[in-house]
Amino acid sequence: MILNILWMYHDLMDLYGDKGNLQVLKTRAEKRGIDVNLVTCGIGEPCSIKDYDIFFLGGGADREQNLIQEDLLSRRAEIEEAMNNQTAFLLICGGYQMFGKFYRDQDGTTVPGLAFFDYYTEASSRDNRCIGNIAIEVTMGGETFQAVGFENHGGQTKGVTTPLGKVLKGHGNQYQSGYEGFVNEQVVATYMHGPLLPKNPGIADLVLKRGLRRTYGDVNLKGLDDTFETRARETMLKRLGVLK
Ligand code: GLN
């Protein structure tokens, strides 16, 4: 089997080491004998988005979001075709924001989004920035589990009807809000940096399965030894007072 992963704006949208998510997806696929074709696509570079199994867009400061916005919107039709073609999406923070209706940044500039979903984002006042470790309860793929990460965003995302998880500790979509992220059959969108996937192998495998589904249908991934990943996650959950 082969898994084709498209990493968008790798040189600009990679806040807090979001590239680590690609390393986790690649390693966890290769440990199962799946070949991985990881391709980057920057501003102005041609790429056939619909041919990829996983589309990844990381986080970015307001400056970088403004830099990519025109190029990203120019690819809207291609991204929509990929969405209709069962491509799986993993979107982190700024990348998450850009798939909504708009992002109004700290300076009041309105950055139009792809508007695939009804949510929208407005930057908070500087003293309501959502910063710190975060823990959420996720229900995905028929399982309920806890996930940990790190958030740092001024953006307050409103109008999400299908959040990724319930906030156990931290802020989430809005300052001291109860819910975090956005999820549907193809998209996992979250404010959780860290990067997200190393401590949350359950989410990594769900994204892998979604990516493989496009070509191979429902694939059963063999279990991996997640001792270290689990220990790292549980250490953070204990530090946040979520686990005893
Ligand atoms: N610039 C956006 C905000 O401040 C996204 C930040 C990020 O990607 N961490 O909300």
Side-chain angles (χ1 to χ4, degrees):
M1 286 193 273
I2 184 163
L3 187 68
N4 300 291
I5 304 177
L6 182 62
W7 179 10
M8 294 302 293
Y9 312 116
H10 64 291
D11 53 344
L12 289 168
M13 297 293 280
D14 177 28
L15 216 48
Y16 312 121
D18 291 332
K19 67 166 70 72
N21 294 308
L22 285 311
Q23 290 166 343
V24 170
L25 289 172
K26 187 169 185 297
T27 303
R28 295 186 73 83
E30 290 173 345
K31 282 185 176 176
R32 282 125 166 179
I34 299 165
D35 294 325
V36 175
N37 172 33
L38 175 59
V39 173
T40 60
C41 179
I43 291 177
E45 292 176 0
C47 59
S48 177
I49 296 173
K50 67 177 174 24
D51 295 336
Y52 288 87
D53 304 306
I54 296 176
F55 174 110
F56 178 81
L57 178 52
D62 290 6
R63 175 182 170 278
E64 281 74 17
Q65 285 173 280
N66 279 281
L67 285 175
I68 69 159
Q69 174 257 334
E70 192 179 332
D71 186 85
L72 180 65
L73 266 65
S74 74
R75 301 178 195 260
R76 186 182 194 289
E78 278 197 84
I79 295 171
E80 187 166 35
E81 191 179 359
M83 253 182 210
N84 296 336
N85 215 3
Q86 285 210 332
T87 296
F89 289 75
L90 179 59
L91 310 171
I92 309 290
C93 201
Y96 163 25
Q97 295 171 341
M98 305 293 279
F99 270 60
K101 290 197 275 193
F102 63 82
Y103 169 56
R104 187 161 298 124
D105 73 14
Q106 205 72 52
D107 301 329
T109 308
T110 299
V111 181
L114 291 163
F116 285 122
F117 308 113
D118 287 340
Y119 63 78
Y120 59 93
T121 303
E122 295 171 317
S124 66
S125 60
R126 290 197 193 281
D127 50 12
N128 274 7
R129 194 167 178 86
C130 303
I131 301 180
N133 292 306
I134 178 170
I136 65 172
E137 182 180 84
V138 180
T139 298
M140 266 179 88
E143 294 173 55
T144 296
F145 51 88
Q146 295 169 337
V148 294
F150 172 80
E151 61 181 329
N152 182 353
H153 55 102
Q156 308 293 299
T157 297
K158 301 163 185 172
V160 171
T161 53
T162 53
L164 174 63
K166 195 166 60 173
V167 174
L168 302 172
K169 197 79 175 181
H171 296 287
N173 285 333
Q174 298 178 55
Y175 193 72
Q176 294 179 349
S177 73
Y179 292 92
E180 197 288 324
F182 166 84
V183 69
N184 70 9
E185 263 308 297
Q186 282 166 260
V187 176
V188 171
T190 176
Y191 273 115
M192 295 169 79
H193 296 285
L196 170 71
L197 297 182
K199 295 191 189 80
N200 303 297
I203 298 178
D205 284 352
L206 280 161
V207 172
L208 283 177
K209 280 172 68 83
R210 286 179 163 196
L212 291 164
R213 177 178 60 190
R214 183 168 163 274
T215 308
Y216 306 105
D218 192 10
V219 172
N220 277 318
L221 295 176
K222 74 169 180 157
L224 298 178
D225 177 1
D226 289 334
T227 305
F228 290 117
E229 293 83 350
T230 302
R231 194 181 300 164
R233 183 174 66 259
E234 289 183 352
T235 298
M236 282 315 296
L237 287 168
K238 286 173 185 163
R239 195 178 298 174
L240 293 173
V242 172
L243 265 189
K244 296 287 170 252

